[in-house]
Amino acid sequence: MLTARAWRANGTLLPRRPRRPRGRRRSPWEVARRSMRSTGGVLGLFTAFHVLDLTTGTRPAASRDFAHGSAYANLVASLSRPPVAVAYAVSMAALAAHLVHGIPEIANDIGAGADRRTQRRLRIGANAFGAAVAVGNTTIPVAVLTRAVR
């Protein structure tokens, strides 16, 4: 007979994992803390793509219109491709999540976040900085796709 409980091979009962209560959601801070590895991986892949696309002009990452030494034209040609623009925007969201958790943790590591008030200020500052960086950098592909930048 199968039950909801899991049994070991020797017949003893395995301990159950505690479940989160229904209706309880993770806070944005907890999501950012748990996603540091994945956002770091996204940022690593983005950096490699960025170098291949805009610095070395390596195909297939670079656009067909790549010209060495023409940074502005290369940026516009690259971000005119919608999949690249979307990847750029997703990478900026990953950067924001990485910064939101990373900045307060760096401050804590060097001993700057000793009390709760300072930790709260660090989190607020990190949220504002992460949002500003993400929104500011996401305006670049948006401006290219809407032809505000040519």
Side-chain angles (χ1 to χ4, degrees):
M1 176 173 108
L2 255 100
T3 64
R5 296 180 179 209
W7 295 89
R8 288 190 182 128
N10 66 1
T12 60
L13 184 65
L14 284 173
R16 283 192 186 182
R17 281 178 135 186
R19 290 187 178 183
R20 284 187 301 133
R22 288 189 172 196
R24 182 176 151 214
R25 305 224 187 270
R26 289 190 173 106
S27 69
W29 178 255
E30 188 178 359
V31 172
R33 180 179 54 86
R34 293 177 60 102
S35 65
M36 286 297 283
R37 283 189 190 147
S38 58
T39 58
V42 168
L43 292 173
L45 292 172
F46 169 73
T47 302
F49 179 80
H50 185 77
V51 168
L52 293 172
D53 182 21
L54 298 175
T55 305
T56 63
T58 305
R59 297 276 304 150
S63 68
R64 291 188 179 112
D65 301 330
F66 183 84
H68 286 282
S70 182
Y72 183 82
N74 292 338
L75 179 73
V76 171
S78 178
L79 293 178
S80 294
R81 301 176 292 171
V84 174
V86 168
Y88 191 90
V90 168
S91 298
M92 292 306 108
L95 177 61
H98 211 72
L99 288 172
V100 162
H101 181 70
I103 291 172
E105 287 304 313
I106 290 170
N108 287 335
D109 287 347
I110 62 172
D115 59 343
R116 285 183 180 237
R117 181 186 294 171
T118 306
Q119 287 179 357
R120 186 169 187 273
R121 288 180 182 161
L122 284 168
R123 285 185 183 178
I124 291 169
N127 287 340
F129 184 69
V133 167
V135 169
N137 286 341
T138 302
T139 60
I140 299 167
V142 170
V144 171
L145 286 176
T146 59
R147 305 245 189 248
V149 173
R150 295 178 188 201

